[in-house]
Amino acid sequence: MKLTIIGSGYVGLTTGTCFAEMGHHVTCVDNNETKVKALREGIIPIYEPGLEDLIKKNVAVGKLKFTSSLQEALPEAEAIFIAVPTPPNEDGSVDLSFMERVAREIAEVLTPSMGYKVIVDKSTVPVKTGEKVAQTITHYAGKEVEFDVVSNPEFLREGCAVDDLLHPDRIVIGANSQRAMDVLKQVYRPFHAPILETDIESAELIKHAANSFLALKISYINAVARVCEKTGADVELVAEGIGMDKRISRHFLNAGLGYGGSCFPKDVKAFISISRQLGEPFLLLEEVERINEEQHERFLNRLRDRLWVFRDKKIAVWGLAFKQNTDDIRESIGIKLCQKLVAEGAIVSATDPKAMGTARPILEPIGVNFVDDMYECARDAEVLIIATEWADFANADLQKLSSVMRNRIIFDGRNIMSPDNLKTMNFEYHSVGRPSV
Ligand code: UDX
């Protein structure tokens, strides 16, 4: 099929590439000409395992191309996916101005002679946005243009986006016409994944409700971790015990510094705002958010209790990405910790396997020292903080680490190390919801 993806950011680029990999002919559009030029030259703007190879492979066989022109990308497309940013406003509501602009731009290009088009909303949007997109297109394109709007939310995780897209748990398609539903089902046929067919509103809600529920699981286990800390229980064992119940599952019950990234913080806020606007305040989610915001502050308080003052003390931070396998630092707890430590006068050195480039412009101006080698980063440090769950950190050579640190004190904000191993190596080890050793 001929597909067009508008917006070559994280979601648009990975989705378009995976559609091409599945055999479709895909045109990715972006209004940033520098980005389009770079993509044409094989320069990929984000780090995502496996993505670069897939882009190059599909460009080479002519199934994937990039342009900044809607005039070029729309006429032949059977389905047009909108994957533009939907950032939060100050009050937590969703800024839909990019969506609105793209809807207008599509309308300006479409003509009746181009035939029936399915316009697919991939961006995460508040319920009822599909209706607004349809109204906007009719308003600007005129009634003769034949189209339907469909909601098709994405559930990809950064760091494993390619795998999530190629082997999805489920595909959600929200459409109000069978004709549009059939087109989307044809798009997804090669994926051999279960498809849930819904109305547009339900599909829109599924996305916000799913992400908010995952965030809730994380805040839940972090609240349990607090109780564990007060009682000497071990949150990892508690998570294992409750996770063995299939109705609960162990996934997303990893206690730590809380969730970050471009999705959970924004989507929880948005769902809170949407439900308030609808007159049904979702107080449970307000609590989820509050627990998450407190989580790294509580961790810092424990560090303050241990060091008394931070001023002039060398503190190493391992982990700047908001989670492992990505260079994304949006809403990263590691970045927040560095900023707070510097504000209190600590001498901070930081490292990350992939996110040094993205973090530098934010942290270098405030004096954070970037060190490529994780052991050199910890050299002479009084404390080492682990802020991201990278496997490199979990598998650190403790002998080597012990020989470079000034004090062998570790504050593990992601519970990735084994207290027994640390104890054997004479480290003082603090983690989240587990007894310190
Ligand atoms: C998330 C959803 O998983 C995905 O389905 C959606 O489409 C986009 O948002 P992503 O933001 O890429 O994906 O990362 P995810 O792996 O979900 O992790 C989010 C944050 O939660 C990270 O900061 C991670 O460290 C944290 N986390 C995750 C925990 O603290 N504990 C856990 O058990 C799991």
Side-chain angles (χ1 to χ4, degrees), residues 304-330:
R304 283 189 194 99
D305 284 346
R306 182 63 185 85
L307 292 188
W308 191 14
V309 284
F310 295 158
R311 184 157 301 282
D312 297 335
K313 291 187 177 154
K314 179 164 178 193
I315 299 177
V317 176
W318 280 3
L320 299 169
F322 84 91
K323 65 169 195 181
Q324 82 283 30
N325 294 334
T326 179
D327 63 352
D328 195 338
I329 54 155
R330 285 176 287 177

Side-chain angles (χ1 to χ4, degrees), residues 111 119 268 403:
T111 60
I119 319 281
V268 171
S403 69

Side-chain angles (χ1 to χ4, degrees), residues 184-419:
L184 262 279
K185 280 166 76 177
Q186 206 187 330
V187 171
Y188 283 106
R189 190 158 298 134
F191 290 78
H192 303 294
I195 293 181
L196 178 71
E197 299 179 33
T198 74
D199 56 280
I200 298 180
E201 286 72 25
S202 301
E204 289 170 332
L205 267 176
I206 284 169
K207 174 65 198 230
H208 272 130
N211 271 1
S212 297
F213 187 77
L214 292 170
L216 177 141
K217 277 189 95 172
I218 298 170
S219 279
Y220 182 84
I221 201 66
N222 283 334
V224 171
R226 295 176 187 181
V227 181
C228 290
E229 281 167 19
K230 290 281 184 312
T231 54
D234 180 333
V235 74
E236 296 300 320
L237 296 174
V238 176
E240 208 176 312
I242 58 179
M244 285 167 89
D245 183 331
K246 287 196 190 68
R247 293 169 302 175
I248 298 175
S249 112
R250 176 65 180 80
H251 297 293
F252 278 70
L253 286 180
N254 296 324
L257 290 166
Y259 57 80
S262 64
C263 290
F264 286 172
K266 170 174 93 92
D267 291 351
V268 171
K269 267 196 175 43
F271 207 18
I272 290 172
S273 161
I274 292 161
S275 33
R276 274 209 179 273
Q277 274 173 23
L278 294 169
E280 295 293 345
F282 210 145
L283 302 182
L284 178 63
L285 290 185
E286 292 182 22
E287 188 59 14
V288 165
E289 192 179 37
R290 195 182 64 78
I291 292 170
N292 197 59
E293 278 163 9
E294 279 175 2
Q295 199 61 10
H296 72 277
E297 271 303 334
R298 292 172 68 97
F299 187 76
L300 271 182
N301 280 339
R302 288 171 59 206
L303 186 62
R304 283 189 194 99
D305 284 346
R306 182 63 185 85
L307 292 188
W308 191 14
V309 284
F310 295 158
R311 184 157 301 282
D312 297 335
K313 291 187 177 154
K314 179 164 178 193
I315 299 177
V317 176
W318 280 3
L320 299 169
F322 84 91
K323 65 169 195 181
Q324 82 283 30
N325 294 334
T326 179
D327 63 352
D328 195 338
I329 54 155
R330 285 176 287 177
E331 297 285 329
S332 156
I333 313 286
I335 300 278
K336 285 185 192 165
L337 289 178
C338 288
Q339 288 167 328
K340 289 185 178 179
L341 291 167
V342 168
E344 290 184 42
I347 303 161
V348 178
S349 57
T351 195
D352 190 281
K354 288 285 174 217
M356 305 271 271
T358 41
R360 256 201 181 94
I362 296 168
L363 295 181
E364 229 166 28
I366 62 168
V368 171
N369 185 23
F370 281 77
V371 188
D372 286 330
D373 181 84
M374 63 196 231
Y375 302 100
E376 281 311 308
C377 174
R379 184 172 290 283
D380 299 328
E382 300 211 15
V383 168
L384 166 66
I385 294 177
I386 300 176
T388 310
E389 56 276 58
W390 282 101
D392 289 7
F393 303 155
N395 302 325
D397 177 342
L398 296 179
Q399 191 76 49
K400 203 166 165 186
L401 188 58
S402 134
S403 69
V404 292
M405 288 184 72
R406 175 166 173 186
N407 297 330
R408 276 172 292 197
I409 305 177
I410 297 182
F411 271 72
D412 177 0
R414 297 292 175 186
N415 288 3
I416 54 172
M417 287 188 162
S418 144

Side-chain angles (χ1 to χ4, degrees), residues 32-45 55-56 66:
N32 179 341
E33 292 192 12
T34 319
K35 190 192 256 184
V36 170
K37 188 166 170 281
L39 282 164
R40 282 180 177 158
E41 288 164 6
I43 302 164
I44 317 303
I55 292 179
K56 288 184 172 155
F66 302 99

